Amino acid sequence: ESVLEQDYENIEHIIVDDGSTDNSVEVIQRYVRKYPNRIRLITQQNKGQSAAINVGFKNSTGDILAWINSDDYYCEAVFQKIVNTFYENPGIDIVFGDYINTDAHGNKRFVYKHLNFNYLMACVIGFGQVLTSNAIFWKRNLLSKVGYIDESFSYAMDSEFFARLTRNANIKKVNFPIANYRFHPKCK
């Protein structure tokens, strides 16, 4: 719904279901029927998160790419701001920003403010600490230079991918939250 409610019209919304065993596909199919020209569902047998994200990238045609996981959601009216940032800064390859940490019910806990990007600092403390997968957008042409997500990674695939994606790229940080990350406390 956070993608559907964006104020930017030219969105290619691809949802990849990676073999879920609950009623996710049924729920998504209701949205596809309601918005047939706005959502595309791709289902596959469980191949892991990295493979699912790559399927989305490989089936996309847009000039600007991003992904968001199933329990996170974008901030209101953020896509137009992202597109404007790319338009106003034609030499920029990547735009990233802050995120809002929420509880499981979507109540704001705090805003996580990223620092300006520094490749060396990211190498030292970890790309997953410097960039957040739900709050980064990049131009498609970077994929032809760096490749897709390494599907041998089951965890921290975003960190390794961002290490390749950001190397020698022109990066701009925006000073507003892009997405919401739902924090789920560990169950006992």
Side-chain angles (χ1 to χ4, degrees):
E1 289 177 357
S2 72
V3 174
L4 289 170
E5 294 170 358
Q6 290 296 317
D7 60 347
Y8 186 73
E9 292 291 320
N10 193 15
I11 297 171
E12 188 175 30
H13 188 179
I14 300 170
I15 300 173
V16 180
D17 180 84
D18 190 46
S20 62
T21 57
D22 58 11
N23 68 335
S24 294
V25 171
E26 179 184 313
V27 171
I28 297 165
Q29 285 174 335
R30 284 196 297 253
Y31 279 96
V32 171
R33 284 191 295 277
K34 189 173 182 179
Y35 304 99
N37 298 323
R38 297 189 64 195
I39 300 175
R40 191 166 83 192
L41 170 63
I42 299 171
T43 59
Q44 65 182 26
Q45 290 185 355
N46 189 318
K47 296 179 183 174
Q49 182 181 10
S50 298
I53 294 167
N54 282 342
V55 165
F57 291 157
K58 291 174 183 176
N59 281 276
S60 69
T61 61
D63 295 327
I64 299 171
L65 301 175
W67 90 79
I68 195 159
N69 295 316
S70 61
D71 61 343
D72 298 339
Y73 56 102
Y74 287 111
C75 294
E76 210 173 291
V78 76
F79 284 16
Q80 186 65 60
K81 291 178 184 178
I82 298 296
V83 170
N84 290 348
T85 301
F86 277 109
Y87 180 75
E88 293 163 3
N89 301 276
I92 296 298
D93 301 309
I94 298 170
V95 173
F96 78 102
D98 304 324
Y99 72 88
I100 299 170
N101 185 296
T102 70
D103 65 19
H105 305 290
N107 300 309
K108 180 178 172 180
R109 297 176 66 223
F110 60 87
V111 176
Y112 188 93
K113 295 191 173 279
H114 285 291
L115 299 173
N116 287 329
F117 184 79
N118 178 294
Y119 192 85
L120 183 57
M121 182 175 62
C123 289
V124 172
I125 66 172
F127 284 83
Q129 299 299 317
V130 177
L131 298 169
T132 309
S133 63
N134 63 6
I136 180 171
F137 290 71
W138 61 91
K139 290 184 178 175
R140 168 179 288 290
N141 64 358
L142 286 181
L143 286 182
S144 63
K145 295 176 184 174
V146 305
Y148 293 92
I149 291 176
D150 186 333
E151 294 183 15
S152 70
F153 282 78
S154 297
Y155 303 99
M157 69 288 289
D158 52 347
S159 294
E160 189 277 334
F161 176 67
F162 293 149
R164 289 184 284 121
L165 191 72
T166 58
R167 187 171 176 88
N168 300 316
N170 294 316
I171 302 167
K172 176 146 182 81
K173 182 194 182 294
V174 293
N175 293 313
F176 53 82
I178 291 175
N180 296 275
Y181 168 80
R182 284 188 214 262
F183 174 78
H184 298 280
K186 293 181 181 177
C187 300
K188 291 186 178 191

